[in-house]
Structure formats: C-alpha cells, structure tokens
C-alpha cells in the first residue's frame, strides 16, 4: 500500500513482513527509505495487533519530524492527525 501525505511531501509504504529478507524474528519493522519515504513491514493481519502498528507509526512520525526539521514534542496535534490518518488508511478506513 502507498500512502502519500501531500502537505509534507512524504510517502509511507506498507509491505508484508515476509517481503523483507532479513526480518525473520521481527513482529513488525519500519525503515526510512529516504528523507521523503518510510516503509512499514507488517504481518499479514494488522488488526490482530494494533499495538504493533501504533508502535511502527510512531517511528514513521519520528522520521517525518526529523526529515522535515519539525520538533516532535511541539508538533503534538499535527503528528496526532498524521498518526490517525495513517492508522486509518492501513486498517482500511476511507476518509470522506
């Protein structure tokens, strides 16, 4: 899945955990691909453990803040909305 955040020109990809060749024992994993992209590797059923998804999304938010020179602690509302949006998209929610 590809999720593009146009207001900050950032893309988040989700891929199956098994697609990453070196993650044999991880429950989930996030990596910064470049300063405009992160990839989250998730197990097949993400709704079974929303905690893992939330954990990985925090890493995405940290990468976004670092890459956009944003202070993670001062961007509380902005990052909360990004978290909510990303989590909803990954879980299949459609936004009006």
């Amino acid at each position: 899945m590809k999720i593009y955040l146009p207001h900050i020109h950032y893309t988040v990809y989700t891929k199956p955990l098994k697609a990453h060749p070196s993650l044999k024992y991880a429950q989930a994993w996030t990596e910064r691909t470049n300063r405009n992209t992160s990839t989250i590797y998730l197990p097949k059923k993400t709704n079974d453990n929303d905690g893992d998804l939330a954990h990985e999304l925090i890493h995405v938010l940290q990468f976004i803040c670092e890459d956009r020179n944003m202070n993670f602690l001062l961007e509380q509302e902005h990052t909360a909305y990004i978290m909510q949006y990303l989590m909803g998209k990954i879980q299949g929610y459609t936004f009006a």
Side-chain angles (χ1 to χ4, degrees), residues 2-53:
K2 175 183 177 180
I3 306 167
Y4 181 63
L5 304 168
H7 72 290
I8 55 173
H9 184 58
Y10 203 90
T11 303
V12 178
Y13 290 96
T14 62
K15 294 184 179 181
L17 187 60
K18 65 181 180 181
H20 197 290
S22 61
L23 297 177
K24 294 179 183 174
Y25 303 107
Q27 291 182 351
W29 183 262
T30 298
E31 63 187 12
R32 177 193 283 130
T33 310
N34 57 52
R35 80 177 301 275
N36 296 316
T37 309
S38 290
T39 302
I40 304 173
Y41 294 89
L42 296 167
K44 194 170 190 174
K45 294 182 178 182
T46 58
N47 289 344
D48 287 350
N49 193 344
D50 291 339
D52 286 340
L53 176 56

Side-chain angles (χ1 to χ4, degrees), residues 5 7-8 61 64 78-87:
L5 304 168
H7 72 290
I8 55 173
L61 294 171
I64 288 171
H78 188 201
T79 53
Y81 277 116
I82 294 171
M83 171 87 167
Q84 180 181 10
Y85 179 76
L86 291 172
M87 192 159 203

Side-chain angles (χ1 to χ4, degrees), residues 67-94:
D67 293 335
R68 296 297 179 266
N69 296 314
M70 296 163 46
N71 183 323
F72 186 76
L73 297 176
L74 297 178
E75 294 287 339
Q76 294 173 1
E77 197 66 19
H78 188 201
T79 53
Y81 277 116
I82 294 171
M83 171 87 167
Q84 180 181 10
Y85 179 76
L86 291 172
M87 192 159 203
K89 292 293 274 187
I90 291 167
Q91 292 178 326
Y93 182 76
T94 52

